[in-house]
Amino acid sequence: MKPLDRMHDALGLRTSPRIFFPAALVAIIFVVGTILFTDQVDAAFAGASGWIMSNLGWFYILGVTVFLLFLVYLAASRFGRVRLGDTKPEHSGLAWFAMLFAAGIGSILMFWGVAEPINHYANPPMQDVEGRTQAAAREAIAFTLYHFGLHTWAIFALPALGFAYFMYRRNLPPRVSSIFQPLLGEKIHGPVGAAIDVVAVVGTIFGVGVSVGLGTLQINSGLNTLWGLGESRLIQVLIIVAVSAIAVVSVSVGLEKGIKRLSNFNIVLAVGLLCFVVATGPTLFLVKGTIESVGIYASALPQLAFWNDTANSSGWQDQWTVFYWAWTISWSPFTGIFIAKISKGRTIRQFVSGVLAAPVLFSIVWFGVFGWASFGIEQETPGELVGPVVEQGDVATALFVFLENFPLTTVTQILAVVLVVVFFTTSVDSAGLVIDSISNGYEEEAPARQRIFWTIAMGAVAATMLAATGEGGLAALQQVIIVVGLPFFIIGYVMIYTILAALKEDAGESPPVRALRWRRVLPPEEAARRTEDEEYDNDTFTVVPEIEPGQEPIPVDPILAEDDDESATAEPPRP
């Protein structure tokens, strides 16, 4: 028995040793290396990520747009009727949406709901309008919805569709390598497939680690605003420990009792906070602004989908859009497999429509309300939000400063902290569930201790980064995400090919028609010239006979040839 197998059995695991142990080892080496050699690691990845953003940012921008167009095409095509599994949907539409939202970008909406619109309002991305104006407000809404609308969910939906199809139509393990089956065949079960899955697990740990780091900073800011606890590494570590503890309980009881209940609870709280802002704020202004946001987004989307900041070359897009796409795609395997697990039984058309439409619609409403409310506050009290969030750069405090302009400030700020905690808890426990699925390769539930291990590991990674290296560690992790994102974009293009190839093959489509190739036909004058030059080869060319005036053309049976080299042995065509 191999050493890894012996260790696996001794620990009582039910997983794949060649995926579980290498992925855990890579994460440990990265954390320890970053702690011991922070400056060197930061410099190496800063250089690599800087080069990628400067030279390949266009590839990221184009890639996400291609993903979106492919999904729309697939849903509208005849393949849209293909069902992902042979059963009816396991979850109701409302529960499905709640889990989609909570495990997708629910936590990110809490962090950026106020911070991003107010940033773009003060500093318009295209630099074509004056900041803090109505034109700047419209541009801010357009870019915010571009970042958190259809494009973000296309990054999640593409791998999710691939996982769902290969898991439920071809009965392959819930692993990233399964999507490569049309290309690799049985090799997905060998070393190549294992390497793909290790990269996916490590990318998920890093991507969720960034999310946990940002969430920790926001929770710390909220607690400091409420009770003046201060912002320190110790408090941040304690926050991560608390969130990880809740996540451990949730993931240990499984999807139905843990994650599903937390997701439903959180979506109710989020909708309640949204309604509160609308009811106690400038209601008519927010309703009109939200409706207007739909038109702003729809009209700006074609341009933004291909915009590369070519004229200005300001570097703005590298710091915002390119980073968002790289960060999002790095943990798309986790979100993709989770979405696939909760989407069994739906058709491809239902899947694409639901994953793209429902969360995007909620994002439009969310940013419409919080974005326009932020603009209104800033117009009435200049500097109220721009000062701390933009000028001082304290992005984490944006939501809590925003809520100070509404009634029941303390109550709503406590509610916001609870929302952020639960959103990040569902992200961590969902990631633990998915990483365990990639590692063990079984659709059935594995021992709970495996899921608990991955949940604790992600919390430990985030805590180590914040406690040991502070902002430098988190920045280093973000730079790694930029680098890790590049191969994931390449994998995205491969997914497009494999999904389409599998659909066509399973639909029983005939292979491409074998076209016949015919010998070249020479006009009589050309044949005569070549004959005179002794260059005419009767086995190579067919001569069209000369036709006397008024004479009917004489049909000539051309000779079929596979290629010029085999023309002598070619058979004539069948009648």
Side-chain angles (χ1 to χ4, degrees), residues 68-333:
L68 176 60
L69 294 176
F70 170 74
L71 289 167
V72 173
Y73 154 74
L74 207 60
S77 71
R78 63 191 181 90
F79 296 121
R81 294 175 294 173
V82 174
R83 189 171 295 279
L84 303 172
D86 298 325
T87 62
K88 294 182 179 180
E90 298 178 346
H91 306 285
S92 66
L94 182 60
W96 183 51
F97 166 66
M99 288 188 285
L100 281 176
F101 181 75
I105 60 172
S107 55
I108 301 175
L109 295 189
M110 291 297 297
F111 191 89
W112 293 109
V114 174
E116 174 141 353
I118 207 66
N119 262 283
H120 302 338
Y121 177 67
N123 300 307
M126 290 186 170
Q127 302 178 10
D128 55 346
V129 297
E130 184 180 352
R132 310 188 193 191
T133 62
Q134 290 298 322
R138 288 190 290 271
E139 187 168 312
I141 287 294
F143 269 91
T144 301
L145 293 178
Y146 168 52
H147 286 157
F148 298 105
L150 290 170
H151 279 70
T152 286
W153 282 95
I155 295 176
F156 294 146
L158 179 63
L161 177 60
F163 292 133
Y165 188 84
F166 287 97
M167 286 164 56
Y168 302 129
R169 299 299 305 183
R170 293 203 169 185
N171 294 316
L172 291 173
R175 290 175 172 170
V176 178
S177 57
S178 295
I179 298 180
F180 287 76
Q181 193 258 356
L183 280 177
L184 300 178
E186 293 301 312
K187 292 182 180 178
I188 63 172
H189 304 299
V192 177
I196 293 172
D197 293 324
V198 169
V199 171
V201 170
V202 173
T204 298
I205 292 173
F206 290 164
V208 176
V210 173
S211 298
V212 171
L214 291 176
T216 300
L217 295 176
Q218 188 177 31
I219 295 169
N220 193 178
S221 178
L223 296 177
N224 183 49
T225 301
L226 284 167
W227 296 293
L229 295 182
E231 298 183 19
S232 67
R233 295 178 179 179
L234 176 60
I235 294 176
Q236 291 164 4
V237 170
L238 292 176
I239 291 171
I240 292 177
V241 170
V243 170
S244 299
I246 300 173
V248 164
V249 174
S250 175
V251 78
S252 63
V253 298
L255 178 63
E256 287 292 330
K257 296 181 179 179
I259 299 172
K260 186 174 181 178
R261 290 180 180 178
L262 277 177
S263 299
N264 291 337
F265 170 75
N266 223 33
I267 199 67
V268 171
L269 288 184
V271 171
L273 180 62
L274 183 73
C275 293
F276 174 82
V277 172
V278 174
T280 60
T283 305
L284 182 60
F285 176 75
L286 298 182
V287 171
K288 292 168 63 177
T290 301
I291 295 173
E292 187 174 332
S293 297
V294 178
I296 293 172
Y297 177 46
S299 61
L301 185 59
Q303 179 186 7
L304 298 184
F306 299 96
W307 184 69
N308 275 284
D309 197 18
T310 306
N312 294 326
S313 296
S314 62
W316 179 93
Q317 196 174 43
D318 296 337
Q319 301 299 322
W320 286 88
T321 309
V322 174
F323 171 72
Y324 274 155
W325 293 168
W327 175 21
T328 304
I329 204 168
S330 68
W331 51 293
S332 63

Side-chain angles (χ1 to χ4, degrees), residues 174-523:
R175 290 175 172 170
V176 178
S177 57
S178 295
I179 298 180
F180 287 76
Q181 193 258 356
L183 280 177
L184 300 178
E186 293 301 312
K187 292 182 180 178
I188 63 172
H189 304 299
V192 177
I196 293 172
D197 293 324
V198 169
V199 171
V201 170
V202 173
T204 298
I205 292 173
F206 290 164
V208 176
V210 173
S211 298
V212 171
L214 291 176
T216 300
L217 295 176
Q218 188 177 31
I219 295 169
N220 193 178
S221 178
L223 296 177
N224 183 49
T225 301
L226 284 167
W227 296 293
L229 295 182
E231 298 183 19
S232 67
R233 295 178 179 179
L234 176 60
I235 294 176
Q236 291 164 4
V237 170
L238 292 176
I239 291 171
I240 292 177
V241 170
V243 170
S244 299
I246 300 173
V248 164
V249 174
S250 175
V251 78
S252 63
V253 298
L255 178 63
E256 287 292 330
K257 296 181 179 179
I259 299 172
K260 186 174 181 178
R261 290 180 180 178
L262 277 177
S263 299
N264 291 337
F265 170 75
N266 223 33
I267 199 67
V268 171
L269 288 184
V271 171
L273 180 62
L274 183 73
C275 293
F276 174 82
V277 172
V278 174
T280 60
T283 305
L284 182 60
F285 176 75
L286 298 182
V287 171
K288 292 168 63 177
T290 301
I291 295 173
E292 187 174 332
S293 297
V294 178
I296 293 172
Y297 177 46
S299 61
L301 185 59
Q303 179 186 7
L304 298 184
F306 299 96
W307 184 69
N308 275 284
D309 197 18
T310 306
N312 294 326
S313 296
S314 62
W316 179 93
Q317 196 174 43
D318 296 337
Q319 301 299 322
W320 286 88
T321 309
V322 174
F323 171 72
Y324 274 155
W325 293 168
W327 175 21
T328 304
I329 204 168
S330 68
W331 51 293
S332 63
F334 134 61
T335 311
I337 291 184
F338 181 79
I339 292 175
K341 279 181 169 290
I342 64 176
S343 302
K344 184 178 181 180
R346 301 185 186 275
T347 65
I348 290 179
R349 186 168 297 130
Q350 291 171 341
F351 176 90
V352 173
S353 300
V355 174
L356 291 184
V360 170
L361 179 60
F362 189 89
S363 296
I364 291 175
V365 174
W366 184 273
F367 283 107
V369 170
F370 283 87
W372 286 101
S374 300
F375 303 152
I377 292 171
E378 191 61 29
Q379 289 171 2
E380 293 182 4
T381 313
E384 176 74 12
L385 291 172
V386 171
V389 178
V390 181
E391 296 175 356
Q392 299 176 21
D394 191 359
V395 179
T397 196
L399 179 61
F400 302 103
V401 174
F402 170 85
L403 292 174
E404 290 177 355
N405 295 272
F406 292 84
L408 304 174
T409 299
T410 301
V411 175
T412 55
Q413 287 178 337
I414 292 175
L415 176 63
V417 171
V418 173
L419 271 169
V420 175
V421 169
V422 180
F423 269 131
F424 278 97
T425 299
T426 55
S427 294
V428 173
D429 58 16
S430 300
L433 181 69
V434 167
I435 291 176
D436 184 53
S437 297
I438 297 175
S439 300
N440 65 48
Y442 295 96
E443 188 65 21
E444 299 83 9
E445 285 194 7
R449 55 181 169 274
Q450 294 177 193
R451 302 193 299 272
I452 293 173
F453 168 79
W454 290 116
T455 302
I456 294 175
M458 283 181 287
V461 167
T464 302
M465 286 297 173
L466 289 176
T469 58
E471 295 181 356
L474 190 56
L477 186 58
Q478 292 173 340
Q479 290 160 359
V480 171
I481 292 299
I482 295 291
V483 179
V484 171
L486 182 58
F488 276 100
F489 268 100
I490 298 173
I491 290 174
Y493 282 100
V494 177
M495 286 182 183
I496 290 176
Y497 169 79
T498 56
I499 291 172
L500 198 56
L503 283 167
K504 289 182 177 180
E505 182 179 349
D506 293 347
E509 288 192 357
S510 301
V513 176
R514 184 168 173 266
L516 303 178
R517 288 193 291 168
W518 302 79
R519 288 180 178 172
R520 294 169 59 189
V521 176
L522 291 179

